[in-house]
Amino acid sequence: MIDKRKIQRIIFYIILSIIAFLVIIPFLWMISASFKSNEAIQTIPIRWIPEEPTLEGYRSILGLSNVDFLKAFYNSIAYSLLRTSGQIIICSMAAFIFAKVPFRGRNILFLMVLATMMIPGTVVMIPNYLILKNMHLLNSYTGLILPSLLEGLYIFILRQYMIGIDDAYLEAAMIDGASLRFSFRKIILPLSRPAIFTLVLFGFMGSWNDYLWPLIVLSKKTKWTLQVALGVMNTQFGNSYHIMMAGALISIVPIVIVYIFTQKFVEEGVTLGGVKG
Amino acid sequence: MYLGSKKDKYLTIVLFLAPAVGIFLIFKLAPILISGYLSLLDWDILRPFSSAEFIGFENYRNWILGGELFVMLKHTLTYMILYIPWIIVLAVLEASVLNQELGGLKLYKICFYLPVVSSWVAGAIIWGFVLNGKYGYLNQWLSLIGIEGPNWLEDPFWAMPGVVLAALWKDTGFYALIVLSALKSVDKNYYEAATVDGAGAFTQFFKITIPLISPTLFLLIIFNVISGFQIFEPVFIMTDGGPANATTVVVERIYRYAFRIYKMGYASALTWILFLLILFVTLIQFRFEKKVNYDR
């Protein structure tokens, strides 16, 4: 009997390892190629460990004449931080009202906000571009961020969480004569920290990896985010794989580091939000 | 519940909802109306808006009769047929293995989720190289077992399967997590009863596990149909709709017509066609959704 269980366990570990191998190989391929020279990339059979490791790919990236890669990296950080903090501020304020402050018409309003989750981003993409154009906000981070500040799912999740906070906390503060705004800042927000932290993670990852919208709004080279810059490079150096792999690696590493340190929260967030792309 | 003075309450409501409602009106509600209007115009963005011509449903007619739409939908359907069964099978497999009581699972979990947190742009660039007919490792491995791999992304027939491979690599970890949470909510008593009745692991899996997580699987299929209509990055980066327009898909065409050829009206009509398609799928979902209690 013991033997049968042992064999089962071994089989499970073998399946796990095969999947892990298939998942990891493209990453190893990227790392390996990013440290090769342009010639070494085209050796058959493949050498997974570069014979003469070189930083040629990385050097080329920093020396591109038409893409300022460092600037793009900085832009991506700025975009991710700004968009995420904006989303959290605006969505948590709205969620607080929807959770704790009743008024006539509140449910209708909440349903309308939820309905925005049903609209595919592609449908509003063209009009939003034109609206920003008329506001003279193209090529600005204000314009890039504005439409995404209202995130139906975030409001939904924060509201759920805030409903779960005992009314007694809020009521005690109100009876002591605090204003609603004060109670929100000093009581509700601190108590919502776990939900907020999860959403900060998702907001950051979503912004960091965002591509189509920045591609449309940002036509100026100096404004490009990392993803847009990578896309442009791909059309120009598509065949200089060592450069492209170095670029891909630089764009993946920060988010992977963030993920590894916050793995538990990300997992909870996915389960919490259910199916959400 | 006591919430202080009425004045403070209503002031706070206005203050706290104003940004959300403002963005809702300007960037969510208005755009739907605007894009509906645009789709009835013949207008490219290089001409002043005043010269735009109202042409009714002409744009829609051109899309439907022009043939390009059906080619796109055929490509999208090809993608879904290749992708959806595999993503379900792989996600269920991955989740089932992760659901065992084994040590060291956390490390595997982290590993499986790495493609999900990586950007599609980077993922598509990596896979463009993986699928390189000559220097990519996939074809070199295939040649080891005596198969001559195709020139994936340069071959009209193999380009879409190549995109699907990349998408499976990218997405499996995400759906596996969702299936895993469904598996975790399955009552253990069923399995104990089945074991007492002498049912084997396979019987248990197909007779208990699958039926019990079928609502989740159904949702995943619907969700993947909806997102399948909207694939963009892998196609745009890996094949750019090529080779020989063999991988044109809806969003990629919307982008091209709106921001490369500047036909705003024509592109808006396509966004509405997409919107209606997605709405149709959603209605089917509501229609078929059996009354299931989701234990949240």
Side-chain angles (χ1 to χ4, degrees), chain B residues 67-80:
Chain B
E68 198 176 5
L69 177 69
F70 290 99
V71 174
M72 283 185 309
L73 291 178
K74 200 182 100 192
H75 296 158
T76 307
L77 205 63
T78 308
Y79 171 87
M80 288 185 199

Side-chain angles (χ1 to χ4, degrees), chain A residues 117 151-154 157 202 269-270 273-277, chain B residues 174-175 178 223:
Chain A
M117 287 161 67
E151 187 62 70
L153 183 80
Y154 291 13
I157 288 175
F202 275 79
V270 171
V275 181
K276 159 86 170 94
Chain B
F174 176 74
Y175 295 115
I178 290 167
F223 183 79

Side-chain angles (χ1 to χ4, degrees), chain B residues 114-126:
Chain B
L114 289 182
V116 185
V117 297
S118 308
S119 73
W120 240 133
V121 177
I125 287 170
I126 295 170

Side-chain angles (χ1 to χ4, degrees), chain A residues 13 23 171 209 227 267 275, chain B residues 2 103 109 117 119 137 169 223:
Chain A
Y13 275 118
V23 168
E171 204 155 16
N209 294 335
Q227 310 301 341
E267 199 181 319
V275 181
Chain B
Y2 175 75
K109 249 187 200 164
V117 297
S119 73
Y137 70 78
W169 168 80
F223 183 79

Side-chain angles (χ1 to χ4, degrees), chain A residues 198 201-202 205 259 262-274, chain B residues 98 105-106 108-110 113 117 173-174 176-178 180-181 184:
Chain A
T198 302
L201 280 177
F202 275 79
M205 288 179 179
Y259 166 67
T262 54
Q263 184 260 344
K264 201 168 99 294
F265 292 93
V266 173
E267 199 181 319
E268 277 169 11
V270 171
T271 319
L272 191 80
Chain B
L98 285 174
L105 282 180
K106 193 178 165 186
Y108 282 109
K109 249 187 200 164
I110 288 180
Y113 210 70
V117 297
F174 176 74
L177 266 195
I178 290 167
L180 181 62
S181 72
K184 290 239 186 277

Side-chain angles (χ1 to χ4, degrees), chain B residues 25-256:
Chain B
L25 292 175
I26 299 171
F27 292 108
K28 306 279 181 199
L29 188 65
I32 295 179
L33 306 174
I34 293 172
S35 90
Y37 178 61
L38 283 176
S39 73
L40 306 175
L41 300 178
D42 175 23
W43 176 52
D44 75 58
I45 202 167
L46 301 177
R47 296 201 319 252
F49 189 69
S50 53
S51 71
E53 200 185 333
F54 187 85
I55 51 170
F57 287 96
E58 195 69 25
N59 285 328
Y60 293 89
R61 250 195 59 190
N62 290 342
W63 272 120
I64 291 164
L65 299 180
E68 198 176 5
L69 177 69
F70 290 99
V71 174
M72 283 185 309
L73 291 178
K74 200 182 100 192
H75 296 158
T76 307
L77 205 63
T78 308
Y79 171 87
M80 288 185 199
I81 289 168
L82 291 171
Y83 172 88
I84 293 177
W86 280 110
I87 195 81
I88 301 288
V89 168
L90 291 171
V92 170
L93 173 75
E94 202 170 284
S96 307
V97 186
L98 285 174
N99 200 28
Q100 305 303 319
E101 282 156 10
L102 298 166
L105 282 180
K106 193 178 165 186
L107 209 62
Y108 282 109
K109 249 187 200 164
I110 288 180
C111 161
F112 294 166
Y113 210 70
L114 289 182
V116 185
V117 297
S118 308
S119 73
W120 240 133
V121 177
I125 287 170
I126 295 170
W127 274 84
F129 188 21
V130 169
L131 295 169
N132 181 298
K134 207 164 157 193
Y135 307 118
Y137 70 78
L138 195 66
N139 274 7
Q140 296 211 17
W141 283 357
L142 286 173
S143 70
L144 291 181
I145 49 174
I147 300 172
E148 197 184 328
N151 247 337
W152 294 92
L153 301 177
E154 276 95 51
D155 184 323
F157 181 81
W158 287 103
M160 195 51 104
V163 169
V164 169
L165 280 180
L168 290 172
W169 168 80
K170 178 96 176 59
D171 298 339
T172 301
F174 176 74
Y175 295 115
L177 266 195
I178 290 167
V179 175
L180 181 62
S181 72
L183 290 175
K184 290 239 186 277
S185 66
V186 172
D187 195 339
K188 294 273 183 293
N189 291 336
Y190 289 113
Y191 297 115
E192 281 165 21
T195 310
V196 170
D197 289 344
F202 274 96
T203 317
Q204 290 189 21
F205 182 75
F206 286 107
K207 295 280 187 226
I208 299 173
T209 311
I210 294 291
L212 281 173
I213 63 167
S214 62
T216 304
L217 298 185
F218 176 73
L219 264 185
L220 286 195
I221 291 171
I222 291 289
F223 183 79
N224 272 307
V225 170
I226 291 174
S227 51
F229 277 125
Q230 301 178 77
I231 45 166
F232 173 73
E233 278 108 334
V235 170
F236 188 69
I237 300 270
M238 286 164 77
T239 66
D240 201 11
N245 281 347
T247 52
T248 55
V249 284
V250 183
V251 177
E252 175 263 340
R253 288 287 110 171
I254 291 171
Y255 173 79
R256 186 170 302 270

